[in-house]
């Protein structure tokens, strides 16, 4: 059946060889099977939405919120970078930490 590294990264099989003599003689060997990762899981945000409220006199550079995501794969298949989808110039996101900062002053009006 199908393998899934995320649920079972290692399988161990014991294999017996038996002869047909009398008495029957046998021995056992162990086969260890390591399942290598493929990128079959997308990153999942810890929270699906975040809400921030700030006044228009907030200084540029202030940290507003830090988003966080997890990925069940391993190695580069789980190495995440954050970016803004609709970049209107007001906000910056740190690609490594997920911290969103105000890039320039806001104007409520
Ligand atoms: Ca999998
Ligand atoms: Ca992944
Ligand atoms: Ca995987």
């Amino acid at each position: 059946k199908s393998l899934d590294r995320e649920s079972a990264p290692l399988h161990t099989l014991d294999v017996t060889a038996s002869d047909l003599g009398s008495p029957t003689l046998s021995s056992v060997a162990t086969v260890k099977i390591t399942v290598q990762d493929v990128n079959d899981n997308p990153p999942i945000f810890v929270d699906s939405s975040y809400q921030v409220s700030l006044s228009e006199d907030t200084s540029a550079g202030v940290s507003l919120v830090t988003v966080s995501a997890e990925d069940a794969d391993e190695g580069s298949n789980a190495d995440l970078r954050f970016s803004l989808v609709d970049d209107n110039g007001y906000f910056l996101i740190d690609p490594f930490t997920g911290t969103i900062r105000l890039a320039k002053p806001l104007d409520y009006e």
Side-chain angles (χ1 to χ4, degrees), residues 84 87 89-94 99-103:
L84 296 174
D87 185 358
Y90 279 104
F91 304 100
L92 296 169
I93 189 165
D94 185 303
T99 298
I100 297 172
R101 293 175 185 279
L102 187 61

Side-chain angles (χ1 to χ4, degrees), residues 37-43 71-74 76-80:
D37 191 43
V38 297
N39 193 21
D40 57 352
N41 294 280
D71 190 304
D73 298 307
E74 70 173 6
S76 60
N77 291 338
D79 194 9
L80 308 185

Side-chain angles (χ1 to χ4, degrees), residues 7 10 13 23 27 29 31 36 40-41 44 46-47 52 55 64-65 68 76 82-83 86 88 95 102 109:
S7 58
L10 180 68
L13 311 176
S27 66
V31 179
Q36 296 194 312
D40 57 352
N41 294 280
I44 304 289
V46 174
D47 295 310
V52 179
S55 64
L64 305 178
V65 65
S68 176
S76 60
F82 297 100
S83 59
D86 297 316
N88 59 12
L102 187 61
E109 285 69 37

